[in-house]
Amino acid sequence: MKFLRLSLIVLVPLAITASMIFVLQYPSFYFQAVVASFVLQDIMLFFLFPRQERKWDVVSITFPIVFHMLLAWAVLFYVEDIHFLYTVAIAQCILQYIFLGNVYYFLYKFDRYQKRALPHITSYTGIVNVFYATVLVYALSFYQDIPIWYSIGPLLLFLFLTIIQNMWIHDVSLRRRWYYVVVALTVMTQLIFATQILPSVYFVNALWLVLCYYMTVHLGIAALQKELTRKEMIRNGVIIAVVVLLVLITTRWR
């Protein structure tokens, strides 16, 4: 069983990425590849988790990586930039491998598990997922002229689930810190509409939203845990400032 689990952790992400690259060449097989990928991931997760593991814990742990695969497939369907699509396909393999490897060590090799590795990789997976989700929302508005009013509901629901999953994995009490979720969603809602009116392409709009999500959620949870030091704030502020500067220099305005 150990060999099977390790094999699936390596082979399934590779197989899904290979199917994504295949679909980029042969788009007519898109829906068959999505179904096959979903089945493969279900099989992998079935063998990865022990039978006595509670279903709620399994769903809570795997939520980011399952949605990552689904969002990656959705991005492949709507976005046209071929270089970005190949990046999405390859990143899917790397991120799944790292995420599932940490889950394996957490469940079966806890003596070799790096403390808080799973919460950290969950946070970063959530950031990528939010980027993909916002790219899809703005791409729908850009390519198919679908008003953002129609897609903001599903996006906010996804943000809500991502935030509470991050709080759960970081052991932050939702019952005691419910107000944080309300504030975070309110801020993100306002930013979604504010970003929509910017004269920038949808990739850039999605990146602005992700930066705001990072500051609101990633740094917010650190503050709730009383782990947000001055040094951490300065380091993250410098990173965000560099990213913003690079975007302003290199972006293509509409």
Side-chain angles (χ1 to χ4, degrees), residues 22 61 63 83 141 147:
F22 176 80
I61 292 173
F63 170 83
H83 301 293
S141 177

Side-chain angles (χ1 to χ4, degrees), residues 200-215:
S200 51
V201 295
Y202 60 92
F203 277 119
V204 177
N205 289 347
L207 184 57
W208 294 134
L209 238 344
V210 167
L211 288 174
C212 296
Y213 169 84
Y214 177 82
M215 290 186 289

Side-chain angles (χ1 to χ4, degrees), residues 115-247:
K115 185 180 179 181
R116 304 190 66 180
L118 193 54
H120 287 319
I121 188 61
T122 296
S123 294
Y124 294 129
T125 305
I127 292 171
V128 176
N129 288 350
V130 170
F131 177 68
Y132 287 172
T134 50
V135 162
L136 290 171
V137 167
Y138 290 128
L140 285 171
S141 177
F142 181 78
Y143 287 120
Q144 300 186 356
D145 201 26
I146 297 177
I148 199 169
W149 287 102
Y150 294 169
S151 50
I152 191 172
L155 177 58
L156 289 177
L157 176 60
F158 174 72
L159 287 172
F160 171 75
L161 294 174
T162 301
I163 291 170
I164 63 173
Q165 194 274 342
N166 266 274
M167 293 176 68
W168 176 82
I169 202 74
H170 284 91
D171 200 25
V172 176
S173 173
L174 180 61
R175 181 176 299 179
R176 295 175 57 191
R177 307 290 188 178
W178 60 268
Y179 58 87
Y180 166 73
V181 180
V182 175
V183 172
L185 287 177
T186 301
V187 170
M188 293 303 297
T189 302
Q190 294 174 338
L191 290 170
I192 289 169
F193 287 109
T195 307
Q196 172 70 7
I197 65 176
L198 292 177
S200 51
V201 295
Y202 60 92
F203 277 119
V204 177
N205 289 347
L207 184 57
W208 294 134
L209 238 344
V210 167
L211 288 174
C212 296
Y213 169 84
Y214 177 82
M215 290 186 289
T216 304
V217 177
H218 184 76
L219 299 182
I221 289 178
L224 290 176
Q225 294 178 304
K226 302 186 185 303
E227 296 179 354
L228 188 59
T229 63
R230 181 179 177 182
K231 181 179 179 181
E232 183 76 5
M233 291 181 64
I234 293 174
R235 183 174 66 86
N236 283 279
V238 170
I239 293 174
I240 292 170
V242 170
V243 172
V244 170
L245 183 61
L246 289 174
V247 171

